[in-house]
Amino acid sequence: MKRKSQKNLDVIHHGLVLISDGQGKGRPARLLLTKDLLSVQIPCDPNEEPTPLLPQEENPVRTVVIRRRKESGGLGISIKGGTENSQNMPILVSKIFPKMPAEETGQLKVGDVIVEVNGEKVEGRSHDDVVEMLKGGDEVSIGVRACQQIAPYLKSSMSLQLSSGRSGSVLDKLYEPNTWKSAMKAQSSLSLYDTASMASLADPKSDRWKTITSVSLPMAYVTRYLWGTDTIRPNSFEVRAVDGTSTGIAHCEDATAMSEWLNHIHHHIQSLNSKSIKMSNKYLHQSEQISFIGWVNEHLDEVSTDPNVRWFPRFLIIKGPDICLFESPPLNSEDLSKCLYLYKAYDCAVKQVPPDTRRLDKRDHIIWLETSGGPKEKHYLAFDAPHAAETFEQQYYKCIYASINAMQSYAWQYRFRDLNSSSDDGKVHVQFIFKDDRSLSHNRMETKDVECDEAVSVAFTIHAFLMAKMFATDPNFLKNNPLL
């Protein structure tokens, strides 16, 4: 059992950094990256009991006894999951209500998987069955197991939008006088600034460190920029979890060390996001399958009271034929309908912005998301990693191709290669001229006039057909010849 636990919690990358709030002097710490967590540690006081890195038992089932109040009758929890329509999902604690019996135990957490109720296994039972099991008796015994992979999806993510200073997580703990005084004493004892000692302390198996926070990586937000600006922090980065937990600003020794950290972190976030997509698609119709999720930053004018803050995080999803922009990741199917903006992919154009005067500032990996709604519904978006921008564009082209192929009924039909030209007045009139060997005209051209309230939308749809045709002919063409 111990060997298996070791394997599941193996440290993938580790190293010494300075952690700061972006304003004061950085303080020495160690980062540990596992498969789905990034942990921040500080030196232990030599007089304190060291905290072992790995638990002795792998994710054991723990029993929580909840005593029901006579006046309210409820336990104070909401659950999700169960066996429905041949789908078998674990029963999860999705919400814990304040000042209710479940919260008062202090032992139950959002994201816990319920494995038994009053000694009866819940595996294979429906959601309604488990709800009935939880209703019986004045006292309910629940066997639960922690599930760190799922917990971030069930917690509020709005705190990601809060200020760039201390966010109630690692920074508050790191800057507490008692915590820092203890760490300074430990650094003195461990000769932290001695080169030989540093090599020993960087060992991930060292027990001379204690974890002060762990950031869940599923759908985590990573940035090198000063919050809301185009000012890049040299050799530094920050990671924020869906629930707003932050590592603080991690300052690396040099650009090479920072690049290694970012490559590892981005790789694991992408892998975990892919798993999240697969899990979500089990419950979505084939026409509504999710193909992309990830963070971008949108440039907005006259939104913040701070004139220097122009960039705001947005969570971007491609779902079926739709492109959706959210303030924070949707945590369930209901949240999917609460996006800030929703566009049909074939009503949009995605254009790369080259590093010249067409850029609004110094941020990299920029695209314009242009829509038929005109300048008011045009989005200037920046990705924090080049591979994220490339993945989005690839999925966008695939989305257009699939959406157009799904269209079945036509008033008239021509091959796209027969389109000779098109024009519009920008208001209500669009004209197409097709080459048609069946035409009786002397030049074998056929003119089709379309009148509609959304001439610009028609133009964007034609653009989408062109993208689909190009993608079907050569999927790598657009990658090698991006639209500008």
Side-chain angles (χ1 to χ4, degrees):
M1 178 67 74
K2 185 175 180 181
R3 181 177 298 177
K4 187 175 180 182
S5 177
Q6 172 85 29
K7 181 178 179 181
N8 289 344
L9 293 174
D10 273 347
V11 174
I12 294 161
H13 195 60
H14 65 277
L16 300 176
V17 296
L18 297 177
I19 296 291
S20 79
D21 60 357
Q23 300 172 5
K25 184 179 179 181
R27 299 183 171 179
R30 182 174 72 167
L31 293 183
L32 288 177
L33 176 65
T34 57
K35 187 166 134 184
D36 43 29
L37 288 174
L38 181 63
S39 300
V40 180
Q41 297 184 321
I42 59 174
C44 287
D45 188 319
N47 296 322
E48 292 181 2
E49 283 292 325
T51 302
L53 174 63
L54 299 174
Q56 295 301 311
E57 187 177 357
E58 180 190 4
N59 199 12
V61 175
R62 62 184 195 279
T63 301
V64 180
V65 178
I66 306 175
R67 292 176 175 81
R68 207 184 303 272
R69 293 178 188 165
K70 292 183 179 180
E71 62 273 16
S72 65
L75 299 178
I77 62 173
S78 288
I79 62 172
K80 292 182 180 293
T83 301
E84 301 289 344
N85 300 323
S86 75
Q87 299 289 342
N88 188 11
M89 293 295 291
I91 300 291
L92 305 171
V93 177
S94 60
K95 189 173 183 180
I96 300 176
F97 295 90
K99 299 181 181 179
M100 292 290 286
E103 185 198 45
E104 290 172 355
T105 66
Q107 301 175 51
L108 211 56
K109 298 179 181 179
V110 170
D112 280 346
V113 175
I114 298 177
V115 296
E116 59 184 29
V117 176
N118 294 329
E120 290 188 51
K121 301 291 184 181
V122 302
E123 184 177 1
R125 294 179 180 268
S126 69
H127 178 274
D128 292 341
D129 287 342
V130 178
V131 169
E132 290 300 318
M133 293 172 69
L134 292 169
K135 288 182 178 179
D138 296 332
E139 184 177 283
V140 179
S141 175
I142 305 175
V144 296
R145 178 181 285 118
C147 188
Q148 293 174 334
Q149 292 90 340
I150 295 176
Y153 306 133
L154 302 175
K155 297 180 181 179
S156 170
S157 54
M158 293 307 294
S159 52
L160 183 64
Q161 309 292 330
L162 300 181
S163 70
S164 59
R166 301 177 189 176
S167 58
S169 57
V170 60
L171 298 176
D172 287 335
K173 299 175 185 176
L174 188 60
Y175 282 82
E176 284 178 359
N178 291 339
T179 301
W180 184 237
K181 188 175 180 180
S182 173
M184 285 294 290
K185 184 178 178 181
Q187 290 169 26
S188 175
S189 172
L190 297 172
S191 302
L192 187 61
Y193 298 100
D194 177 75
T195 305
S197 297
M198 286 179 67
S200 171
L201 289 169
D203 181 357
K205 297 181 181 179
S206 172
D207 60 0
R208 290 184 285 179
W209 299 84
K210 64 180 178 181
T211 300
I212 57 173
T213 193
S214 291
V215 175
S216 295
L217 293 180
M219 295 192 288
Y221 174 84
V222 184
T223 185
R224 291 188 58 204
Y225 290 93
L226 186 66
W227 193 262
T229 74
D230 64 339
T231 303
I232 201 165
R233 293 187 173 100
N235 303 334
S236 307
F237 64 90
E238 178 188 9
V239 181
R240 295 195 184 191
V242 174
D243 61 2
T245 304
S246 171
T247 58
I249 312 303
H251 304 265
C252 302
E253 182 180 3
D254 52 35
T256 301
M258 179 201 66
S259 179
E260 287 182 358
W261 271 113
L262 290 177
N263 286 340
H264 282 292
I265 293 170
H266 280 303
H267 171 76
H268 285 281
I269 290 176
Q270 186 176 17
S271 176
L272 291 165
N273 285 357
S274 296
K275 291 181 180 179
S276 174
I277 289 174
K278 290 179 181 178
M279 184 171 66
S280 299
N281 284 343
K282 290 181 180 179
Y283 296 93
L284 296 173
H285 188 271
Q286 191 64 34
S287 63
E288 298 181 338
Q289 296 283 290
I290 295 172
S291 57
F292 177 87
I293 62 173
W295 286 100
V296 295
N297 295 277
E298 182 175 11
H299 186 279
L300 299 173
D301 291 321
E302 301 177 0
V303 173
S304 173
T305 55
D306 185 343
N308 296 318
V309 175
R310 287 288 178 264
W311 291 93
F312 297 86
R314 296 285 184 257
F315 199 74
L316 180 61
I317 293 181
I318 298 179
K319 176 177 174 285
D322 300 327
I323 296 177
C324 315
L325 283 169
F326 296 82
E327 273 192 327
S328 56
L331 305 181
N332 51 54
S333 57
E334 292 180 3
D335 289 346
L336 281 172
S337 62
K338 300 176 182 177
C339 56
L340 292 173
Y341 304 97
L342 185 148
Y343 306 107
K344 295 296 181 185
Y346 47 75
D347 284 339
C348 300
V350 172
K351 297 181 180 180
Q352 290 187 16
V353 183
D356 55 27
T357 54
R358 282 171 282 186
R359 289 197 177 178
L360 301 182
D361 59 19
K362 296 181 289 185
R363 285 220 181 196
D364 293 323
H365 318 307
I366 306 293
I367 63 168
W368 271 114
L369 178 63
E370 298 181 352
T371 74
S372 57
K376 291 184 179 180
E377 294 188 17
K378 183 179 179 181
H379 303 274
Y380 187 81
L381 305 175
F383 293 83
D384 275 288
H387 65 81
E390 292 173 4
T391 302
F392 168 73
E393 284 196 71
Q394 291 171 5
Q395 295 302 327
Y396 162 73
Y397 296 135
K398 289 181 180 180
C399 173
I400 288 179
Y401 180 70
S403 300
I404 291 174
N405 275 346
M407 298 178 182
Q408 298 294 329
S409 58
Y410 309 97
W412 42 261
Q413 182 177 354
Y414 287 92
R415 294 175 300 184
F416 198 86
R417 68 186 184 187
D418 293 334
L419 178 62
N420 180 267
S421 64
S422 65
S423 60
D424 66 88
D425 63 359
K427 297 178 181 178
V428 297
H429 184 235
V430 183
Q431 184 179 83
F432 301 101
I433 300 177
F434 295 96
K435 181 181 178 181
D436 189 349
D437 293 334
R438 300 166 297 176
S439 176
L440 299 178
S441 64
H442 69 281
N443 58 0
R444 294 291 190 267
M445 294 291 179
E446 195 74 19
T447 300
K448 296 292 184 181
D449 292 297
V450 177
E451 290 189 3
C452 62
D453 294 334
E454 309 236 356
V456 177
S457 294
V458 174
F460 271 91
T461 301
I462 294 300
H463 174 273
F465 270 79
L466 174 61
M467 295 298 99
K469 183 70 175 176
M470 294 168 68
F471 184 82
T473 305
D474 183 3
N476 291 320
F477 178 82
L478 292 168
K479 182 177 181 180
N480 299 327
N481 301 275
L483 296 177
L484 301 176

